[in-house]
Amino acid sequence: LGSSPVTIVVTSEADTWDIDDTSSCRGRGHFVDWAKMPEPQGPARIPRDVLGRPPKELKRLAREGCWAGSHAGRARLYPRLIQRVSCRLVTPDALVYRDVAGRLFGKPSVSSHPLPEFLEGCPVPTYCLSPHGVTALKKILICVGALFPDITHSPLLPALAALLLHYSEDEAQCFESLSRLIASNAPHAAYIDQSFLAHQASCMTFGDLASKHCPAAHKLVAGAAENVLEVYSEWLSWLFPGLPFGYAVRVLDVFLLEGQKVLYRIALALLKQFRLSAAPAGLQGCDVKAELQAFVRNIAEHLTVDKLLERAFAIRLFSRKELWLLHMANRKALVERGITVVQRRPSFHLAVDMQKFSSSTVTAQEMRLVWSWIPERFSLFPPLLLFSTSEDGCSLQRFYTCCEGYEPTVLLIKTTEGEVCGAFLSSDWAERKKSGATSGFFGTGECFVFTV
């Protein structure tokens, strides 16, 4: 699995495909090149009453690979699991697909159709699909573009469509499953980001989680990369199409039950393992993004899929609601910065100009590291110097006067021994006075202290 390549269809807005109606045959497995498909991982262990099990037990079974031993078992379970996803009342289904596909592609004439614009710049992995399956995948994505015009950017969507097609009896069933995931309205449990803004907010959220849950790996990446935010903007591609098929489909097993939170966990586990597998000398002089992609592509040399999932679910993340609130806060910061449509991520140097940076407390490299630790929605904006002992003296009252009315703030301290420490404070210093003189502490869960 580790060395087998993942086929990628590179697309652009101008691409067109010839499509006829011959790809509508029924029967599971008709879209698969079985010579490419990995063998099932041991005998199937799917209980007869699996769908009647409580949600918590169902999640456990998926995490343990209960249906990893049977391609047929997955083909039976996936549509039924997806039918449980709460979605909008008016959601296109298999009948709608057959009607729209019939009108778009005709019978039996051949016609050319461009890819939907939302796929521009997004890889379209084909995994173990046959040429016949690749044609079916194209048709499904074109119909998604026709029936979901609000989708403007969605890197995850083509990979999900390709994976589901391996286990679908026909195009219409695959389309219906995909539609339910797109139209999900479950509270705080999104499945697919559908705009550049939502995708970038997810990238920022992953950066926040990485600095909190993988501090050693985060420090390694931040020390080697000129722009750590740019590295994390690729996090979703580590999973799809980065992982080999046998790993990707195990991710799909749990994703269908648990939503996007699963993807964060598995990407964090990959980042942690990447740090353990990095050369002792570190990553200096390396292309960190390329190194990460190569590591994920060859993950089987480092971890079995069972061990990867075990480590992923050992990471204690925020609740779904807390993740959603963090995502929405990052989204708001992007809107305030004017980032709503597809564009290059704002460079780290737009926030802190290292060419002009000067401080007697930290070096430019140390400041780069400190800046990578703060929540991404704040690191989008340039810092403002509020107080410096060299300019404002050493009065604590003067310090309070200068800092009150601003949030958040970063405090940097250099001791008489030359040691540097500090804190990130998410709340206004004036909060200390709101509960009276007896207030022992203030702030939020995003506050932290650090040493350099």
Side-chain angles (χ1 to χ4, degrees):
L1 286 178
S3 59
S4 58
V6 174
T7 304
I8 302 293
V9 177
V10 181
T11 63
S12 69
E13 190 174 355
D15 281 344
T16 61
W17 293 308
D18 290 333
I19 297 174
D20 60 29
D21 197 55
T22 58
S23 59
S24 298
C25 60
R26 299 177 63 82
R28 295 180 181 90
H30 284 284
F31 303 113
V32 175
D33 181 346
W34 288 99
K36 297 179 182 177
M37 280 286 270
E39 290 297 318
Q41 301 169 8
R45 297 175 284 120
I46 306 175
R48 290 185 177 275
D49 63 339
V50 64
L51 291 173
R53 301 292 180 94
K56 191 171 183 179
E57 187 176 354
L58 198 57
K59 289 179 184 178
R60 179 184 63 79
L61 291 172
R63 293 177 182 186
E64 293 175 356
C66 178
W67 34 94
S70 170
H71 293 309
R74 277 196 177 106
R76 289 192 299 271
L77 275 173
Y78 279 178
R80 298 168 73 184
L81 289 174
I82 294 172
Q83 281 297 319
R84 296 180 168 200
V85 173
S86 172
C87 61
R88 297 192 294 267
L89 187 61
V90 181
T91 299
D93 58 12
L95 290 175
V96 172
Y97 175 82
R98 292 189 182 101
D99 176 60
V100 171
R103 286 189 282 109
L104 278 177
F105 310 120
K107 297 180 182 180
S109 63
V110 177
S111 55
S112 295
H113 295 269
L115 262 175
E117 289 186 10
F118 70 78
L119 289 180
E120 186 176 359
C122 301
V124 182
T126 59
Y127 296 110
C128 303
L129 294 177
S130 64
H132 169 63
V134 174
T135 298
L137 175 62
K138 297 166 186 175
K139 291 177 67 175
I140 291 166
L141 292 174
I142 290 168
C143 286
V144 167
L147 290 163
F148 292 92
D150 291 341
I151 300 178
T152 56
H153 186 74
S154 186
L156 178 59
L157 198 151
L160 284 183
L163 290 171
L164 289 171
L165 191 57
H166 288 71
Y167 300 101
S168 297
E169 66 178 23
D170 59 12
E171 295 167 19
Q173 185 189 67
C174 179
F175 173 84
E176 180 170 325
S177 295
L178 195 63
S179 292
R180 293 190 68 86
L181 297 178
I182 292 170
S184 169
N185 59 4
H188 314 133
Y191 282 90
I192 304 174
D193 291 331
Q194 298 167 42
S195 68
F196 181 77
L197 179 62
H199 173 63
Q200 290 297 293
S202 294
C203 293
M204 291 174 65
T205 300
F206 178 79
D208 292 331
L209 297 175
S211 63
K212 178 178 178 63
H213 295 282
C214 312
H218 178 72
K219 183 177 180 180
L220 179 73
V221 172
E226 185 175 324
N227 186 346
V228 68
L229 311 186
E230 194 71 32
V231 175
Y232 291 150
S233 71
E234 303 285 327
W235 78 277
L236 199 55
S237 70
W238 304 346
L239 307 177
F240 310 108
L243 290 173
F245 178 82
Y247 284 68
V249 77
R250 284 291 301 275
V251 175
L252 182 62
D253 289 344
V254 287
F255 172 75
L256 295 180
L257 286 167
E258 303 185 47
Q260 199 176 52
K261 184 175 179 179
V262 162
L263 304 186
Y264 286 130
R265 275 181 154 153
I266 294 171
L268 289 171
L270 288 169
L271 186 62
K272 282 189 172 186
Q273 185 62 36
F274 174 70
R275 198 271 301 181
L276 295 174
S277 305
L283 298 171
Q284 294 299 329
C286 295
D287 181 342
V288 182
K289 289 204 293 185
E291 291 288 323
L292 268 163
Q293 292 287 6
F295 167 78
V296 172
R297 189 166 55 249
N298 298 300
I299 186 64
E301 298 175 7
H302 306 278
L303 277 181
T304 65
V305 66
D306 288 308
K307 184 59 70 173
L308 174 63
L309 292 177
E310 179 186 320
R311 294 185 180 180
F313 289 109
I315 298 172
R316 299 294 298 271
L317 278 192
F318 301 126
S319 68
R320 281 197 185 93
K321 183 176 181 179
E322 289 169 322
L323 281 174
W324 178 78
L325 290 172
L326 178 57
H327 182 276
M328 294 307 292
N330 284 327
R331 185 175 176 133
K332 181 181 177 183
L334 286 166
V335 171
E336 289 175 358
R337 193 70 187 269
I339 300 168
T340 56
V341 297
V342 177
Q343 56 188 265
R344 179 173 163 68
R345 275 177 66 89
S347 169
F348 178 87
H349 296 294
L350 293 179
V352 181
D353 187 348
M354 290 301 165
Q355 303 299 323
K356 299 179 181 178
F357 179 80
S358 175
S359 170
S360 59
T361 305
V362 289
T363 65
Q365 182 63 22
E366 288 169 339
M367 187 59 185
R368 184 196 299 277
L369 186 61
V370 170
W371 205 248
S372 78
W373 288 334
I374 72 174
E376 282 213 22
R377 65 183 183 278
F378 300 127
S379 67
L380 287 173
F381 300 91
L384 172 68
L385 181 62
L386 299 177
F387 176 88
S388 168
T389 52
S390 61
E391 297 178 11
D392 301 294
C394 297
S395 163
L396 185 61
Q397 189 56 49
R398 171 78 175 156
F399 168 80
Y400 286 143
T401 301
C402 290
C403 295
E404 285 177 3
Y406 296 91
E407 61 176 61
T409 51
V410 176
L411 177 65
L412 291 168
I413 302 170
K414 192 168 192 175
T415 71
T416 54
E417 300 296 321
E419 299 165 321
V420 176
C421 59
F424 170 75
L425 302 109
S426 58
S427 300
D428 190 333
W429 284 90
E431 289 280 335
R432 76 190 192 284
K433 299 183 289 188
K434 287 191 175 178
S435 300
T438 59
S439 176
F441 57 87
F442 63 94
T444 70
E446 289 186 313
C447 297
F448 61 88
V449 294
F450 59 85
T451 59
V452 177

